[in-house]
Amino acid sequence: MPFIAFWVLGVIWGSNFIYMKLAVELISPMQVLLYRVFFGFVPVFLYARAKGVLKLEHLKYSHHFIIMSLLATTVYYYGFVKGTSLLLSGVAGAVSGAIPLFTFILGIVFIPEEKATLKKATGIVIGFAGVLMIALQSGHDIMSSNLIGVLYISAGALCLGASFVYAKNFVMPLKLPAAALTTYQLGFGLIELLVVTKYQGLGNVFTDMHSAIGLILGLGLLGTGLAYIIYYYLVERLGAVSASSVTYLPPVVALLIGAFIVGEPISLTSYAATAMIFAGVFLLKKR
């Protein structure tokens, strides 16, 4: 069962990019976020309530939950949605593979037990060379769009990387259940988005039911809500380190969906760059 859950989660997260791509053609990136977080929050909240892990006393840590909601929900998601709107969905997914690179760099700076080695430094260089290769592909129009899109995805990845470091230093010592932490994180993120999102045109996504179903079911309920629940299950059954290796799958899934299902014209350069990103991450993980 954990083996099946592992691959299901990888496919769910990898398909997020095409759902973002479809939705952002009809509504703004911020509105995509609002739908995603709302429909992701609902199943996570119900799951946490069913497990009885939500406590009023936890609200004394609200300042940590707010910071996590910015780093690991609203700003992170916005960077990915905006970046995906400027890139091919498969390429956006490939660039997202750089998340461990940012996490490691921030870990070296802010987590004392993280140590830099020559092998890991080489992994950083190779991985970011792959990101740059995607960003700077030939052709002025392609390069301009790619560069901005890659910067947005990279900013989202940087925020998510920072969230791991912040969580390790300030949130994990609280010893709160993961389901509760994610409920608070998504809940505060939803409040933030309800305040800053413009509602005009919010219903435009329903002019195309394929995009609407992809956004609500694929990106929200499955890609955010169910994905978190499956991830908790994997952490419980496999351990945090083994479960975290599921992040290797989404970039590959996104690239395959873009190339072979959607028919995006993904270049050989993008495939080579993706391989470099994975090689860099492999060197970081290798003991």
Side-chain angles (χ1 to χ4, degrees), residues 131-251:
V131 174
L132 286 175
M133 187 184 295
I134 291 178
L136 303 177
Q137 292 189 64
S138 61
H140 178 74
D141 292 338
I142 294 177
M143 186 176 74
S144 176
S145 177
N146 272 9
L147 180 58
I148 297 173
V150 167
L151 286 175
Y152 271 111
I153 296 284
S154 297
L158 178 62
C159 283
L160 186 61
S163 77
F164 292 138
V165 175
Y166 187 89
K168 182 174 179 61
N169 285 338
F170 301 105
V171 178
M172 299 312 294
L174 302 178
K175 304 297 183 183
L176 300 181
L181 290 173
T182 306
T183 301
Y184 303 139
Q185 173 186 309
L186 290 177
F188 277 105
L190 180 58
I191 293 171
E192 294 156 11
L193 289 169
L194 287 171
V195 172
V196 302
T197 302
K198 295 181 180 179
Y199 295 95
Q200 184 177 3
L202 189 64
N204 288 347
V205 71
F206 294 102
T207 60
D208 183 286
M209 290 310 297
H210 186 200
S211 297
I213 292 172
L215 173 60
I216 294 171
L217 180 61
L219 193 59
L221 292 171
L222 297 179
T224 305
L226 180 62
Y228 273 122
I229 294 171
I230 294 176
Y231 187 71
Y232 301 150
Y233 169 78
L234 290 175
V235 170
E236 181 180 344
R237 294 297 298 271
L238 304 178
V241 174
S242 295
S244 67
S245 62
V246 74
T247 57
Y248 286 97
L249 299 179

Side-chain angles (χ1 to χ4, degrees), residues 242-265:
S242 295
S244 67
S245 62
V246 74
T247 57
Y248 286 97
L249 299 179
V252 176
V253 172
L255 201 64
L256 293 176
I257 289 175
F260 297 107
I261 296 180
V262 182
E264 293 178 340

Side-chain angles (χ1 to χ4, degrees), residues 90-128:
V91 172
V95 177
S96 75
I99 290 173
L101 304 179
F102 287 104
T103 303
F104 177 73
I105 291 174
L106 292 170
I108 288 294
V109 177
F110 296 106
I111 300 177
E113 56 265 34
E114 288 287 353
K115 303 297 182 183
T117 64
L118 178 60
K119 182 180 294 183
K120 291 182 176 181
T122 303
I124 291 290
V125 172
I126 293 174
F128 278 114

Side-chain angles (χ1 to χ4, degrees), residues 1-15 222 226-227 230 234 246 249-250 253:
M1 187 63 180
F3 176 80
I4 296 174
F6 185 92
W7 284 94
V8 167
L9 182 57
V11 172
I12 288 175
W13 273 345
S15 64
L222 297 179
L226 180 62
I230 294 176
L234 290 175
V246 74
L249 299 179
V253 172

